[in-house]
Amino acid sequence: PIASSAIVRTKSLVVWNTESPDDENNEPSEDDDESSKTKLSLEEKMKAWEATEEEVKAATLGGVVPQSRERAGAFDVGLYIAFPIMVITGLIFALFPFIMGNIDVDSVGPPPTV
């Protein structure tokens, strides 16, 4: 079996703008009016797609919507408190094998062997 390959050729369309910006015929045409109406209607459609504040609150649990704000919420404050504690305990856990030889355990005695 001989492998064959097919070459797919597509037709391309190249459009050249033959008008220069210095042309005297700079009057707006009906096409420009229609395109501006189309653009305006598209902008109106996009605004209609946007959810109102009531719809956003109804779609979220409790009406909490992410937004940029300067005041830190309770969750952020909780993270600010928990982060240093987690870092310190993580460092102690990681460094414990190096410091366990320096801990004096003679006064405690041996563990029970029952």
Side-chain angles (χ1 to χ4, degrees):
I2 299 175
S4 65
S5 63
I7 299 174
V8 178
R9 296 179 188 238
T10 59
K11 294 182 180 181
S12 301
L13 175 66
V14 179
V15 179
W16 292 91
N17 186 4
T18 58
E19 297 178 10
S20 67
D22 298 332
D23 286 343
E24 294 178 11
N25 189 8
N26 287 335
E27 300 173 1
S29 65
E30 291 180 13
D31 292 338
D32 292 338
D33 292 338
E34 290 178 12
S35 67
S36 66
K37 288 179 185 177
T38 305
K39 184 176 180 182
L40 182 61
S41 66
L42 178 62
E43 290 175 359
E44 290 173 355
K45 286 180 184 178
M46 290 175 64
K47 285 181 184 177
W49 295 335
E50 294 286 330
T52 62
E53 289 184 30
E54 293 82 21
E55 292 172 338
V56 170
K57 286 183 180 179
T60 59
L61 295 174
V64 179
V65 181
Q67 59 186 359
S68 62
R69 56 188 162 161
E70 295 179 22
R71 188 168 172 245
F75 182 75
D76 295 331
V77 172
L79 285 179
Y80 295 151
I81 294 170
F83 180 74
I85 295 170
M86 290 188 303
V87 170
I88 290 170
T89 55
L91 287 174
I92 291 172
F93 181 78
L95 298 176
F96 185 76
F98 301 109
I99 61 173
M100 70 178 186
N102 296 333
I103 298 174
D104 185 21
V105 291
D106 292 336
S107 63
V108 178
T113 56
V114 175

